[in-house]
Amino acid sequence: MPVARNAPPPSEAPPGQRAVTMETVGRLAGVSQVTVSRALNDPKKVSPETLRKIQEAIAVTGYVPNALAGALASRRSKLVAALVPSLTNVVYSSMIKSLSDTMRDGHYQIMLSETGTDPAQEEELIATHLSRRPDAIVLTGIHHTANARRMLLGAGIPVVELWDITDSPIDLCVGFSHSETGRAAARYALDRGYDAAAAISAGDERALRRMSGFADLWTERTGQSVPSEVFAPSSTLADGRTGLARLVDTHGLRRGVIHCSSDVLAHGVLTEAAARGLRVPEDIAVIGFGDQDMAAHTYPALTTVRVDRSELGLQAAKAILARFEGKDIPPVTDLSFSIIARDSA
Amino acid sequence: MPVARNAPPPSEAPPGQRAVTMETVGRLAGVSQVTVSRALNDPKKVSPETLRKIQEAIAVTGYVPNALAGALASRRSKLVAALVPSLTNVVYSSMIKSLSDTMRDGHYQIMLSETGTDPAQEEELIATHLSRRPDAIVLTGIHHTANARRMLLGAGIPVVELWDITDSPIDLCVGFSHSETGRAAARYALDRGYDAAAAISAGDERALRRMSGFADLWTERTGQSVPSEVFAPSSTLADGRTGLARLVDTHGLRRGVIHCSSDVLAHGVLTEAAARGLRVPEDIAVIGFGDQDMAAHTYPALTTVRVDRSELGLQAAKAILARFEGKDIPPVTDLSFSIIARDSA
DNA sequence: CTGAAAGCGCTAACAC
DNA sequence: GTGTTAGCGCTTTCAG
């Protein structure tokens, strides 16, 4: 089955060479095309003998089913669309991994795309994905354009809003309250007896809500304002370092606890603290968010807010699967979170 | 366009409600179905007046094209499959991001899946992806099962092997020599005057090849052996810390340069060194691999091997696009790499 | 257990 | 410019 190297069809022509079809396989096995279809989708509906012949024909021809045709005919694509703000952020990709692993067990495949933080771009990607006729779609967050909502509803498939929570989901919602994570962090810091606070946050809407949760509760309880540094939506170690540097150099921060909207930012703060010879947590204390793998292994180990991303992905998958089976399930799942006390605060 | 909440069709029934088709849109606009198709795919072939009417009908009905049907009829799916060992490893996802961004400009969508490090699992995923009839496929690395190669060749589409290099690619290859990165790191360390070396590596085949490159050259030049610690294929900060701990505690390493198969492992080594009060690079020096974003911002800043992952993704995309246009292009692109000297070695 | 017929919703010729 | 006719490669339904 050789293929000409470097001699593809021109763009106008279809890319694939004429592929082997069920028809061909059937002819070779001496049966009709439908029988091949049955052999593949429900082998017990076919006699052992013909099944064997068909499998042989498949092996000989190197037949690969055309899922496009299958999906068109059956109106079921076995595809689940998933949209995340960033492909390179483990916070999302670890969630998608667990979603993906669970859906794979049900023979569903994930179609993943990156939306950035702009709802308009998300809307565009929703349209593209919907055109592939997924059997379900997973979105990150609860803010979408009006038009996106219309399209989603019109698609008539399960829609999961992941990684945030609302009382009025489009369809299903699996997440937690971002502002509550911030408030919980503030309570923790207060309990620990810190008497000054600052915040470093990524610039996306949810990160800002986490920060506000922290700052609001802190201010309510202490009357103090909380100086803050805000960076781009994708937080980096470098931003964390810069954040601490600015807090110290321009806000005159000398001591206290710093709330970071992600573990990566927190890691950056730890790094800058080490570079400056500041002691953690004696001089400055640090609270992260996410409980990424590295959080337990930074020096000092990072105190952070754990959200179980695997569980989020899993619950989303379970909700979708339940829907496929026609089960009536609660539309919103609040997975909550917890504070993991380690050494940095 | 309301949809019943929590009242989906049972699993046996098709998931989507009967969707609006071009037929419907056409009827509403007072034209035939083909005209709608033209209006969407090549608007200038349609009179401004009917175009307007069609667009209105589309807006009214909330029509979303069925790309499944389109792909089946046109034999072009506008889909590019991409398989990576890990979804959560930035090394791969940053490459895929640039691939994805570039392909999107050509209106191609990426179908991404995670293969792990087992060729058999990769083979299975190749089959699944091929059944969706992508217009091209991108694989990570150059080692694939014989059966996978057969299927790939039989598909008659461009196949890119990314992130490694070989003289005999299945079709196209964009990457660099892993063993050479290790040798280059060893040369750098020798030039800097280090007189002892060790290595920490992830357990996957390519990481081991990087380590061997380092160790082999080091031994050739100095006659010294290179003690090493090998971990699981997915390297973590924790592994880096453990690695240094073992090198020190059980191999009795007191000084020298440590080659790490990834920046994450190297970061772990820096962390453990800080925790133990070891000076970097005076006591132990560290060389990473990958030049991730954080590498320039660790403390001390990480000396590492830079591979331009965006460029790799971009070149892969360009090669695919060139193929689509029928251009005759060189099958293998060696992107090389460079040593970035910072403070850790 | 197997087959024939009728689409799924679209694009690709080919007419007019 | 627009419509008609055939499929694309499957699944579904109905026969037998």
Side-chain angles (χ1 to χ4, degrees):
Chain A
M1 207 174 304
V3 101
R5 190 85 69 71
N6 272 334
S11 137
E12 302 311 320
Q17 55 195 54
R18 183 159 236 85
V20 180
T21 69
M22 281 186 174
E23 189 64 50
T24 319
V25 172
R27 205 146 35 207
L28 226 135
V31 295
S32 81
Q33 172 265 123
V34 265
T35 306
V36 178
S37 173
R38 287 195 189 99
L40 258 32
N41 298 318
D42 203 351
K44 17 179 200 246
K45 286 194 168 178
V46 165
S47 84
E49 173 58 7
T50 53
L51 187 58
R52 198 193 47 68
K53 277 193 274 186
I54 288 172
Q55 285 167 337
E56 197 179 304
I58 288 177
V60 169
T61 54
Y63 170 70
V64 176
N66 186 329
L68 254 27
L72 183 61
S74 68
R75 297 158 153 290
R76 220 179 291 106
S77 64
K78 289 281 178 178
L79 229 45
V80 173
L83 299 181
V84 293
S86 161
L87 246 33
T88 52
N89 188 332
V90 249
V91 159
Y92 303 120
S93 55
S94 58
M95 206 159 50
I96 296 303
K97 179 178 166 39
S98 98
L99 172 77
S100 181
D101 288 348
T102 311
M103 293 309 299
R104 173 147 53 219
D105 297 340
H107 300 284
Y108 286 86
Q109 200 175 145
I110 302 294
M111 285 212 62
L112 185 61
S113 281
E114 178 181 86
T115 60
T117 51
D118 175 19
Q121 204 191 324
E122 189 197 46
E123 176 185 318
E124 207 181 310
L125 280 167
I126 288 173
T128 319
H129 278 77
L130 251 25
S131 77
R132 307 265 178 203
R133 293 296 187 268
D135 293 340
I137 182 166
V138 178
L139 307 172
T140 307
I142 55 175
H143 299 313
H144 316 284
T145 67
N147 199 30
R149 302 178 83 91
R150 277 189 60 233
M151 294 174 33
L152 258 5
L153 287 171
I157 55 175
V159 177
V160 179
E161 291 169 280
L162 195 58
W163 192 245
D164 201 347
I165 204 145
T166 173
D167 288 335
S168 49
I170 297 176
D171 182 23
L172 300 168
C173 178
V174 177
F176 57 92
S177 163
H178 287 261
S179 62
E180 282 306 323
T181 66
R183 298 178 71 83
R187 261 181 239 111
Y188 172 89
L190 253 8
D191 287 349
R192 286 276 169 146
Y194 294 105
D195 55 5
I200 297 176
S201 178
D204 62 277
E205 190 269 329
R206 281 180 297 269
L208 292 173
R209 241 189 295 144
R210 298 195 285 276
M211 178 172 79
S212 298
F214 178 85
D216 289 352
L217 190 133
W218 188 272
T219 304
E220 285 166 22
R221 295 284 177 89
T222 66
Q224 296 169 7
S225 69
V226 177
S228 66
E229 286 290 331
V230 174
F231 294 87
S234 62
S235 36
T236 65
L237 193 89
D239 288 341
R241 292 194 65 167
T242 308
L244 177 59
R246 289 204 194 137
L247 250 15
V248 170
D249 296 341
T250 83
H251 293 263
L253 186 81
R254 284 291 160 271
R255 49 195 304 284
V257 59
I258 300 180
H259 177 264
C260 299
S261 74
S262 75
D263 284 353
V264 168
L265 286 174
H267 199 173
V269 169
L270 294 181
T271 305
E272 183 65 17
R276 287 173 175 246
L278 294 170
R279 294 167 307 162
V280 176
E282 293 79 3
D283 298 328
I284 65 132
V286 186
I287 302 179
F289 169 84
D291 195 31
Q292 286 183 212
D293 289 348
M294 54 79 165
H297 306 284
T298 54
Y299 178 71
L302 191 62
T303 291
T304 190
V305 180
R306 169 182 291 162
V307 291
D308 193 333
R309 299 182 303 278
S310 294
E311 187 64 19
L312 281 162
L314 178 67
Q315 290 303 328
K318 280 192 173 170
I320 292 170
L321 260 8
R323 268 303 178 72
F324 287 163
E325 289 168 11
K327 289 183 191 146
D328 202 337
I329 53 167
V332 9
T333 308
D334 187 338
L335 252 353
S336 195
F337 57 86
S338 57
I339 305 272
I340 307 296
R342 288 197 272 250
D343 307 329
S344 70
Chain B
M1 206 173 307
V3 103
R5 190 84 70 72
N6 272 338
S11 140
E12 303 311 320
Q17 55 195 57
R18 182 159 236 82
V20 181
T21 69
M22 282 187 173
E23 189 65 48
T24 319
V25 172
R27 204 146 36 208
L28 226 135
V31 295
S32 81
Q33 172 265 122
V34 267
T35 306
V36 178
S37 172
R38 287 193 188 101
L40 257 31
N41 298 318
D42 202 351
K44 16 178 203 254
K45 284 192 170 181
V46 165
S47 84
E49 173 57 8
T50 53
L51 187 57
R52 198 192 48 68
K53 277 193 274 186
I54 289 172
Q55 285 166 337
E56 198 179 302
I58 288 177
V60 169
T61 54
Y63 170 70
V64 176
N66 186 328
L68 254 28
L72 183 61
S74 68
R75 299 159 152 291
R76 220 180 289 108
S77 64
K78 288 281 176 180
L79 229 45
V80 172
L83 300 182
V84 293
S86 161
L87 246 33
T88 53
N89 187 331
V90 252
V91 158
Y92 303 120
S93 56
S94 58
M95 207 159 50
I96 295 303
K97 179 177 165 41
S98 99
L99 172 77
S100 181
D101 288 347
T102 311
M103 294 309 298
R104 174 147 53 219
D105 297 339
H107 299 285
Y108 285 86
Q109 201 175 144
I110 303 294
M111 284 212 63
L112 185 60
S113 281
E114 178 181 86
T115 59
T117 51
D118 174 19
Q121 205 190 324
E122 188 196 48
E123 176 185 317
E124 206 181 310
L125 280 167
I126 288 174
T128 319
H129 278 78
L130 251 25
S131 77
R132 306 267 178 200
R133 294 296 187 268
D135 293 340
I137 183 166
V138 177
L139 307 172
T140 306
I142 54 175
H143 299 312
H144 316 286
T145 68
N147 198 30
R149 303 178 83 91
R150 276 188 61 233
M151 293 173 32
L152 259 2
L153 288 170
I157 55 173
V159 177
V160 179
E161 291 169 281
L162 196 56
W163 193 245
D164 201 347
I165 205 146
T166 173
D167 288 334
S168 50
I170 297 176
D171 181 23
L172 299 167
C173 178
V174 177
F176 58 92
S177 163
H178 287 259
S179 62
E180 281 306 323
T181 67
R183 298 179 71 83
R187 262 181 238 113
Y188 172 89
L190 254 7
D191 288 348
R192 287 274 170 145
Y194 293 105
D195 54 7
I200 297 175
S201 179
D204 61 277
E205 190 269 329
R206 282 180 296 270
L208 292 173
R209 242 190 294 143
R210 298 195 285 275
M211 179 174 77
S212 298
F214 177 84
D216 290 351
L217 190 133
W218 187 272
T219 303
E220 285 167 23
R221 295 284 178 86
T222 66
Q224 298 170 7
S225 69
V226 177
S228 66
E229 284 293 331
V230 174
F231 294 87
S234 62
S235 34
T236 66
L237 194 89
D239 288 340
R241 290 194 65 166
T242 308
L244 178 60
R246 289 204 193 137
L247 250 16
V248 170
D249 295 342
T250 83
H251 295 264
L253 186 81
R254 285 291 161 268
R255 49 196 303 283
V257 59
I258 300 180
H259 177 263
C260 299
S261 75
S262 76
D263 284 352
V264 168
L265 287 175
H267 199 176
V269 170
L270 294 181
T271 304
E272 183 65 18
R276 288 175 174 246
L278 294 170
R279 293 167 308 161
V280 176
E282 294 79 2
D283 298 328
I284 66 130
V286 185
I287 302 180
F289 170 83
D291 195 30
Q292 285 182 213
D293 289 348
M294 53 81 163
H297 306 284
T298 54
Y299 177 72
L302 191 61
T303 292
T304 190
V305 179
R306 167 182 291 161
V307 292
D308 192 333
R309 299 182 304 277
S310 296
E311 188 65 18
L312 282 162
L314 178 67
Q315 290 302 328
K318 279 192 174 171
I320 291 169
L321 260 7
R323 266 303 179 71
F324 287 163
E325 289 168 9
K327 288 183 190 146
D328 202 337
I329 53 167
V332 10
T333 308
D334 187 340
L335 250 356
S336 196
F337 57 85
S338 57
I339 305 270
I340 307 296
R342 289 198 269 250
D343 307 328
S344 70

